[in-house]
Amino acid sequence: KYGYYLYDGTGCIYINNVKGTSFAIPAVGDIVTVPNAEYDNYYNSNLVQKADPVSATGSYTMPTAEVVTIAEITAKPAKDHTYEAHLVTITGTIYKGKAGSYDAIYIKDADGNQIYLNYGTSKTDPLTTYADKLDTEVTITVVISQYHTSYGCWIATDLTY
């Protein structure tokens, strides 16, 4: 919806569509070049804010996500980059809460540690995507993006929807 993650063999970086133009999101595994990229920082997370449309030049097999607990991620301080831009698999219960004044979807563990699930690369609102999974335990693969100081929690982009 708003952009997508690129993986370079060491980690991911978010390509944000701030130019406001529609663009094709590459398929998972496409090898792409990002021309005219301008790097920026958003809530302590590195990303590309402006870039011209990309074109696929090949195919790549994505790595297996690291399995971690929600507690391992949430134990990190706000400016710790251990998990930022990493592909991880987490297990927890989906629930609806607030992100500021907005309704939002979170995944939490039995101890109440939580991660906010962001739109990111999804084409649908997480509120719609997870409507039938509320209060259900799921295992999902996400990219951890950043600690959002306004929301007071870590944010992740679910790559499974």
Side-chain angles (χ1 to χ4, degrees):
K1 182 167 184 158
Y2 297 110
Y4 53 91
Y5 278 94
L6 289 181
Y7 177 78
D8 71 353
T10 63
C12 298
I13 191 162
Y14 190 69
I15 309 297
N16 193 20
N17 181 25
V18 294
K19 287 187 175 181
T21 58
S22 62
F23 59 91
I25 294 176
V28 173
D30 280 355
I31 295 174
V32 299
T33 300
V34 182
N36 302 317
E38 293 180 20
Y39 295 93
D40 201 354
N41 189 283
Y42 179 76
Y43 284 96
N44 199 37
S45 180
N46 295 318
L47 55 85
V48 173
Q49 281 285 36
K50 297 177 182 175
D52 290 336
V54 301
S55 57
T57 60
S59 174
Y60 180 80
T61 302
M62 291 297 292
T64 302
E66 177 184 0
V67 177
V68 297
T69 66
I70 293 171
E72 287 175 296
I73 296 166
T74 60
K76 299 296 181 187
K79 294 190 178 198
D80 186 291
H81 298 282
T82 301
Y83 292 110
E84 181 185 324
H86 284 268
L87 189 65
V88 299
T89 297
I90 54 177
T91 298
T93 301
I94 298 294
Y95 80 99
K96 183 178 174 181
K98 291 285 188 184
S101 62
Y102 301 100
D103 287 335
I105 294 295
Y106 291 83
I107 184 170
K108 67 179 177 179
D109 64 18
D111 294 323
N113 299 303
Q114 65 183 15
I115 295 174
Y116 168 67
L117 296 177
N118 193 16
Y119 277 97
T121 59
S122 75
K123 294 182 174 112
T124 60
D125 182 337
L127 292 165
T128 302
T129 302
Y130 287 107
D132 64 339
K133 294 177 179 64
L134 293 176
D135 300 318
T136 302
E137 185 174 270
V138 298
T139 298
I140 57 176
T141 299
V142 299
V143 173
I144 301 299
S145 56
Q146 79 261 8
Y147 184 90
H148 198 296
T149 53
S150 295
Y151 299 159
C153 66
W154 286 91
I155 295 179
T157 299
D158 182 351
L159 301 180
T160 58
Y161 61 84

